[in-house]
Amino acid sequence: AERDYRVFVREKSFRYSLINSGLDPVEISLDEVVSPDINIVILADIRGKMTEQAKANLRHYIDRGGNLLVMLK
């Protein structure tokens, strides 16, 4: 759930959160081309099948050297 990842991403009181590591987290849709300004894509809590367009956009992002982190429970 969103609540489970909030601490990891945005909680200022959690020393190791992404925001405290100098990152500026934003939510994106993989159904659109990933902007070149995005340095890391985190896939978290995937609840269904990805669309073919989302797979193609993710593949393109990775092929151009993008970083990917997959979080599973």
Side-chain angles (χ1 to χ4, degrees):
E2 180 180 327
R3 185 183 227 185
D4 297 334
Y5 292 105
R6 185 183 62 75
V7 171
F8 173 74
V9 175
R10 290 197 159 92
E11 183 62 45
K12 290 184 180 180
S13 65
F14 179 59
R15 180 179 184 155
Y16 302 107
S17 69
L18 296 179
I19 201 163
N20 286 336
S21 297
L23 299 174
D24 184 21
V26 294
E27 188 172 325
I28 64 168
S29 170
L30 287 176
D31 287 325
E32 300 172 10
V33 174
V34 179
S35 168
D37 296 341
I38 303 293
N39 296 319
I40 301 169
V41 169
I42 300 173
L43 294 180
D45 202 22
I46 301 171
R47 295 176 184 223
K49 291 180 108 178
M50 291 176 65
T51 65
E52 291 303 317
Q53 185 63 49
K55 289 178 190 177
N57 288 337
L58 184 58
R59 209 171 298 118
H60 180 261
Y61 170 78
I62 293 168
D63 288 346
R64 73 170 193 233
N67 298 296
L68 176 66
L69 173 64
V70 180
M71 298 178 68
L72 305 170
K73 285 186 179 184

